[in-house]
Amino acid sequence: MTLPFSARTIVKIALIAAVLVILRCVWLWQPERQVRLHQEHLLVAAQEGNLSKLGGFMDDGFRTPTGHDKTWALQQAGMVLRQFISLKIVASDTTVAVDGDTARVRSVIRLDGNGAELAEMAKTAVNGSNDPFEFTWKHASWKPWDWRLTGVDHPLIRRDIDLE
């Protein structure tokens, strides 16, 4: 029984496939592309109200402009996100600036959905602002996909409202 391909042909095909996989990884692992993907996944986690996933994107050194930490930010986010029956988060006018191991993502955020009074208040406040949110990311390790959120800034966050 003869094989339709010689061993030499199989090796060539395997090498071409390996080169294509490597090129795809190099393309995918570009810092700007990774930060954009992380930003999109962060907003999806928030939209789904998945605080565990949301916290997974955040660095342990996360700080708000008013000095609050990751735990506080997740508690506040949880109080607001639980108020929504349905939520859609839309980012527009997004820019990404990568400088070494730091990246800044600026996006105008809009909320759409239904919920309790606090959800409606959050929607009104966010949608009434034309100021972009600024997300700060840092490259956390040697892995090209390992980016962590270290801060979020927006005039609404600077108000330092504690929902408790």
Side-chain angles (χ1 to χ4, degrees):
M1 180 174 146
T2 59
L3 296 173
F5 298 109
S6 68
R8 179 180 227 158
T9 303
I10 292 171
V11 168
K12 286 180 184 178
I13 291 170
L15 285 174
I16 290 169
V19 167
L20 291 174
V21 166
I22 289 169
L23 289 174
R24 170 72 175 161
C25 288
V26 167
W27 176 81
L28 181 63
W29 291 340
Q30 294 294 317
E32 183 178 333
R33 187 164 286 107
Q34 281 297 302
V35 171
R36 280 186 188 276
L37 284 171
H38 279 65
Q39 181 72 24
E40 289 171 16
H41 294 154
L42 173 82
L43 295 180
V44 167
Q47 182 174 288
E48 294 171 349
N50 188 335
L51 294 179
S52 174
K53 195 172 180 181
L54 195 62
F57 286 104
M58 298 168 76
D59 187 72
D60 288 339
F62 177 93
R63 290 282 180 266
T64 67
T66 53
H68 293 293
D69 65 2
K70 174 181 176 178
T71 301
W72 180 89
L74 286 170
Q75 287 172 343
Q76 299 300 299
M79 282 187 245
V80 173
L81 294 173
R82 279 191 295 275
Q83 300 299 310
F84 281 92
I85 295 167
S86 67
L87 173 62
K88 182 174 182 181
I89 301 174
V90 179
S92 63
D93 300 327
T94 302
T95 61
V96 178
V98 178
D99 184 14
D101 285 344
T102 302
R104 297 201 189 288
V105 178
R106 291 173 53 92
S107 285
V108 175
I109 303 290
R110 295 291 177 250
L111 305 180
D112 188 25
N114 299 306
E117 187 176 341
L118 183 56
E120 294 303 318
M121 288 172 54
K123 203 167 74 169
T124 300
V126 170
N127 294 347
S129 174
N130 289 323
D131 294 316
F133 281 78
E134 185 172 297
F135 300 84
T136 304
W137 294 86
K138 81 169 184 177
H139 192 213
S141 73
W142 62 270
K143 301 172 197 165
W145 57 84
D146 193 8
W147 288 84
R148 299 279 179 236
L149 184 68
T150 59
V152 179
D153 194 7
H154 188 272
L156 292 171
I157 294 171
R158 289 176 182 253
R159 290 183 188 172
D160 198 22
I161 300 169
D162 201 334
L163 299 174
E164 293 182 304

mmCIF file of all heavy atoms in Angstrom, residues 56-78:
data_model
loop_
_atom_site.group_PDB
_atom_site.id
_atom_site.type_symbol
_atom_site.label_atom_id
_atom_site.label_comp_id
_atom_site.label_asym_id
_atom_site.label_seq_id
_atom_site.Cartn_x
_atom_site.Cartn_y
_atom_site.Cartn_z
ATOM 1 N N GLY A 56 -11.087 39.455 37.533
ATOM 2 C CA GLY A 56 -9.956 38.760 36.916
ATOM 3 C C GLY A 56 -9.152 39.641 35.972
ATOM 4 O O GLY A 56 -7.972 39.386 35.734
ATOM 5 N N PHE A 57 -9.776 40.672 35.441
ATOM 6 C CA PHE A 57 -9.062 41.605 34.558
ATOM 7 C C PHE A 57 -8.285 42.650 35.351
ATOM 8 O O PHE A 57 -7.397 43.297 34.823
ATOM 9 C CB PHE A 57 -10.046 42.332 33.634
ATOM 10 C CG PHE A 57 -10.581 41.483 32.531
ATOM 11 C CD1 PHE A 57 -11.867 40.977 32.603
ATOM 12 C CD2 PHE A 57 -9.814 41.178 31.427
ATOM 13 C CE1 PHE A 57 -12.381 40.191 31.594
ATOM 14 C CE2 PHE A 57 -10.310 40.389 30.408
ATOM 15 C CZ PHE A 57 -11.589 39.886 30.490
ATOM 16 N N MET A 58 -8.652 42.825 36.610
ATOM 17 C CA MET A 58 -8.094 43.914 37.414
ATOM 18 C C MET A 58 -6.825 43.495 38.144
ATOM 19 O O MET A 58 -6.756 42.412 38.723
ATOM 20 C CB MET A 58 -9.143 44.401 38.409
ATOM 21 C CG MET A 58 -10.384 44.961 37.740
ATOM 22 S SD MET A 58 -11.758 45.232 38.879
ATOM 23 C CE MET A 58 -11.211 46.718 39.694
ATOM 24 N N ASP A 59 -5.849 44.367 38.127
ATOM 25 C CA ASP A 59 -4.602 44.167 38.846
ATOM 26 C C ASP A 59 -4.857 44.317 40.345
ATOM 27 O O ASP A 59 -5.753 45.066 40.755
ATOM 28 C CB ASP A 59 -3.584 45.210 38.372
ATOM 29 C CG ASP A 59 -2.214 44.969 38.930
ATOM 30 O OD1 ASP A 59 -1.572 43.993 38.480
ATOM 31 O OD2 ASP A 59 -1.780 45.736 39.807
ATOM 32 N N ASP A 60 -4.081 43.624 41.160
ATOM 33 C CA ASP A 60 -4.231 43.767 42.616
ATOM 34 C C ASP A 60 -3.921 45.188 43.070
ATOM 35 O O ASP A 60 -4.403 45.621 44.106
ATOM 36 C CB ASP A 60 -3.334 42.770 43.345
ATOM 37 C CG ASP A 60 -3.845 41.341 43.215
ATOM 38 O OD1 ASP A 60 -5.051 41.161 42.933
ATOM 39 O OD2 ASP A 60 -3.042 40.403 43.378
ATOM 40 N N GLY A 61 -3.133 45.915 42.279
ATOM 41 C CA GLY A 61 -2.802 47.297 42.613
ATOM 42 C C GLY A 61 -3.760 48.311 42.006
ATOM 43 O O GLY A 61 -3.467 49.506 41.984
ATOM 44 N N PHE A 62 -4.912 47.856 41.543
ATOM 45 C CA PHE A 62 -5.909 48.749 40.942
ATOM 46 C C PHE A 62 -6.268 49.867 41.909
ATOM 47 O O PHE A 62 -6.466 49.636 43.092
ATOM 48 C CB PHE A 62 -7.174 47.948 40.590
ATOM 49 C CG PHE A 62 -8.283 48.782 40.025
ATOM 50 C CD1 PHE A 62 -8.426 48.951 38.665
ATOM 51 C CD2 PHE A 62 -9.192 49.426 40.869
ATOM 52 C CE1 PHE A 62 -9.451 49.727 38.140
ATOM 53 C CE2 PHE A 62 -10.215 50.207 40.361
ATOM 54 C CZ PHE A 62 -10.344 50.354 38.995
ATOM 55 N N ARG A 63 -6.370 51.087 41.378
ATOM 56 C CA ARG A 63 -6.772 52.248 42.181
ATOM 57 C C ARG A 63 -7.659 53.169 41.357
ATOM 58 O O ARG A 63 -7.436 53.359 40.168
ATOM 59 C CB ARG A 63 -5.553 53.076 42.638
ATOM 60 C CG ARG A 63 -4.692 52.404 43.671
ATOM 61 C CD ARG A 63 -5.338 52.497 45.052
ATOM 62 N NE ARG A 63 -4.554 51.872 46.084
ATOM 63 C CZ ARG A 63 -4.709 50.622 46.507
ATOM 64 N NH1 ARG A 63 -5.612 49.843 45.972
ATOM 65 N NH2 ARG A 63 -3.971 50.142 47.477
ATOM 66 N N THR A 64 -8.657 53.744 42.021
ATOM 67 C CA THR A 64 -9.471 54.777 41.381
ATOM 68 C C THR A 64 -8.739 56.110 41.553
ATOM 69 O O THR A 64 -7.810 56.205 42.369
ATOM 70 C CB THR A 64 -10.864 54.873 42.035
ATOM 71 O OG1 THR A 64 -10.709 55.364 43.364
ATOM 72 C CG2 THR A 64 -11.596 53.543 42.016
ATOM 73 N N PRO A 65 -9.156 57.158 40.841
ATOM 74 C CA PRO A 65 -8.506 58.462 41.016
ATOM 75 C C PRO A 65 -8.627 59.001 42.446
ATOM 76 O O PRO A 65 -7.833 59.825 42.860
ATOM 77 C CB PRO A 65 -9.255 59.380 40.045
ATOM 78 C CG PRO A 65 -9.909 58.482 39.071
ATOM 79 C CD PRO A 65 -10.156 57.183 39.777
ATOM 80 N N THR A 66 -9.626 58.508 43.173
ATOM 81 C CA THR A 66 -9.808 58.967 44.556
ATOM 82 C C THR A 66 -9.139 58.033 45.567
ATOM 83 O O THR A 66 -9.341 58.182 46.769
ATOM 84 C CB THR A 66 -11.312 59.099 44.867
ATOM 85 O OG1 THR A 66 -11.956 57.868 44.541
ATOM 86 C CG2 THR A 66 -11.937 60.237 44.067
ATOM 87 N N GLY A 67 -8.376 57.055 45.069
ATOM 88 C CA GLY A 67 -7.579 56.206 45.952
ATOM 89 C C GLY A 67 -8.213 54.912 46.402
ATOM 90 O O GLY A 67 -7.621 54.176 47.190
ATOM 91 N N HIS A 68 -9.409 54.588 45.926
ATOM 92 C CA HIS A 68 -10.044 53.334 46.325
ATOM 93 C C HIS A 68 -9.421 52.153 45.575
ATOM 94 O O HIS A 68 -8.927 52.299 44.466
ATOM 95 C CB HIS A 68 -11.554 53.380 46.067
ATOM 96 C CG HIS A 68 -12.265 54.355 46.944
ATOM 97 N ND1 HIS A 68 -12.379 54.194 48.303
ATOM 98 C CD2 HIS A 68 -12.891 55.519 46.652
ATOM 99 C CE1 HIS A 68 -13.055 55.199 48.816
ATOM 100 N NE2 HIS A 68 -13.372 56.030 47.836
ATOM 101 N N ASP A 69 -9.486 50.984 46.197
ATOM 102 C CA ASP A 69 -8.828 49.807 45.640
ATOM 103 C C ASP A 69 -9.778 48.910 44.846
ATOM 104 O O ASP A 69 -10.961 49.211 44.670
ATOM 105 C CB ASP A 69 -8.142 49.016 46.751
ATOM 106 C CG ASP A 69 -9.119 48.417 47.758
ATOM 107 O OD1 ASP A 69 -10.346 48.562 47.593
ATOM 108 O OD2 ASP A 69 -8.638 47.793 48.730
ATOM 109 N N LYS A 70 -9.241 47.803 44.413
ATOM 110 C CA LYS A 70 -9.973 46.821 43.604
ATOM 111 C C LYS A 70 -11.215 46.302 44.329
ATOM 112 O O LYS A 70 -12.299 46.222 43.738
ATOM 113 C CB LYS A 70 -9.025 45.665 43.256
ATOM 114 C CG LYS A 70 -9.645 44.510 42.544
ATOM 115 C CD LYS A 70 -8.589 43.436 42.290
ATOM 116 C CE LYS A 70 -9.173 42.192 41.659
ATOM 117 N NZ LYS A 70 -8.125 41.185 41.375
ATOM 118 N N THR A 71 -11.074 45.967 45.591
ATOM 119 C CA THR A 71 -12.203 45.432 46.367
ATOM 120 C C THR A 71 -13.349 46.436 46.400
ATOM 121 O O THR A 71 -14.509 46.078 46.159
ATOM 122 C CB THR A 71 -11.754 45.074 47.795
ATOM 123 O OG1 THR A 71 -10.697 44.110 47.711
ATOM 124 C CG2 THR A 71 -12.898 44.519 48.608
ATOM 125 N N TRP A 72 -13.039 47.683 46.702
ATOM 126 C CA TRP A 72 -14.056 48.732 46.751
ATOM 127 C C TRP A 72 -14.717 48.891 45.379
ATOM 128 O O TRP A 72 -15.946 48.983 45.280
ATOM 129 C CB TRP A 72 -13.436 50.054 47.204
ATOM 130 C CG TRP A 72 -14.413 51.181 47.287
ATOM 131 C CD1 TRP A 72 -15.166 51.537 48.366
ATOM 132 C CD2 TRP A 72 -14.754 52.111 46.237
ATOM 133 N NE1 TRP A 72 -15.954 52.637 48.060
ATOM 134 C CE2 TRP A 72 -15.716 52.996 46.755
ATOM 135 C CE3 TRP A 72 -14.329 52.263 44.922
ATOM 136 C CZ2 TRP A 72 -16.268 54.021 45.997
ATOM 137 C CZ3 TRP A 72 -14.873 53.286 44.159
ATOM 138 C CH2 TRP A 72 -15.833 54.157 44.705
ATOM 139 N N ALA A 73 -13.900 48.945 44.322
ATOM 140 C CA ALA A 73 -14.433 49.138 42.968
ATOM 141 C C ALA A 73 -15.379 48.000 42.587
ATOM 142 O O ALA A 73 -16.449 48.227 42.004
ATOM 143 C CB ALA A 73 -13.291 49.252 41.955
ATOM 144 N N LEU A 74 -15.017 46.769 42.931
ATOM 145 C CA LEU A 74 -15.880 45.628 42.612
ATOM 146 C C LEU A 74 -17.168 45.659 43.438
ATOM 147 O O LEU A 74 -18.233 45.298 42.936
ATOM 148 C CB LEU A 74 -15.129 44.313 42.825
ATOM 149 C CG LEU A 74 -14.081 43.984 41.764
ATOM 150 C CD1 LEU A 74 -13.231 42.793 42.190
ATOM 151 C CD2 LEU A 74 -14.740 43.732 40.411
ATOM 152 N N GLN A 75 -17.082 46.099 44.688
ATOM 153 C CA GLN A 75 -18.294 46.215 45.514
ATOM 154 C C GLN A 75 -19.244 47.244 44.914
ATOM 155 O O GLN A 75 -20.454 46.999 44.809
ATOM 156 C CB GLN A 75 -17.933 46.615 46.944
ATOM 157 C CG GLN A 75 -17.306 45.522 47.753
ATOM 158 C CD GLN A 75 -16.790 46.032 49.095
ATOM 159 O OE1 GLN A 75 -16.610 47.228 49.313
ATOM 160 N NE2 GLN A 75 -16.531 45.098 50.004
ATOM 161 N N GLN A 76 -18.715 48.395 44.529
ATOM 162 C CA GLN A 76 -19.544 49.453 43.948
ATOM 163 C C GLN A 76 -20.138 48.998 42.612
ATOM 164 O O GLN A 76 -21.324 49.200 42.349
ATOM 165 C CB GLN A 76 -18.725 50.733 43.758
ATOM 166 C CG GLN A 76 -18.164 51.319 45.044
ATOM 167 C CD GLN A 76 -19.242 51.686 46.044
ATOM 168 O OE1 GLN A 76 -20.087 52.517 45.763
ATOM 169 N NE2 GLN A 76 -19.208 51.076 47.217
ATOM 170 N N ALA A 77 -19.308 48.372 41.778
ATOM 171 C CA ALA A 77 -19.787 47.875 40.486
ATOM 172 C C ALA A 77 -20.894 46.845 40.690
ATOM 173 O O ALA A 77 -21.907 46.865 39.988
ATOM 174 C CB ALA A 77 -18.634 47.269 39.688
ATOM 175 N N GLY A 78 -20.699 45.966 41.665
ATOM 176 C CA GLY A 78 -21.702 44.945 41.945
ATOM 177 C C GLY A 78 -23.035 45.542 42.356
ATOM 178 O O GLY A 78 -24.094 45.096 41.907
#
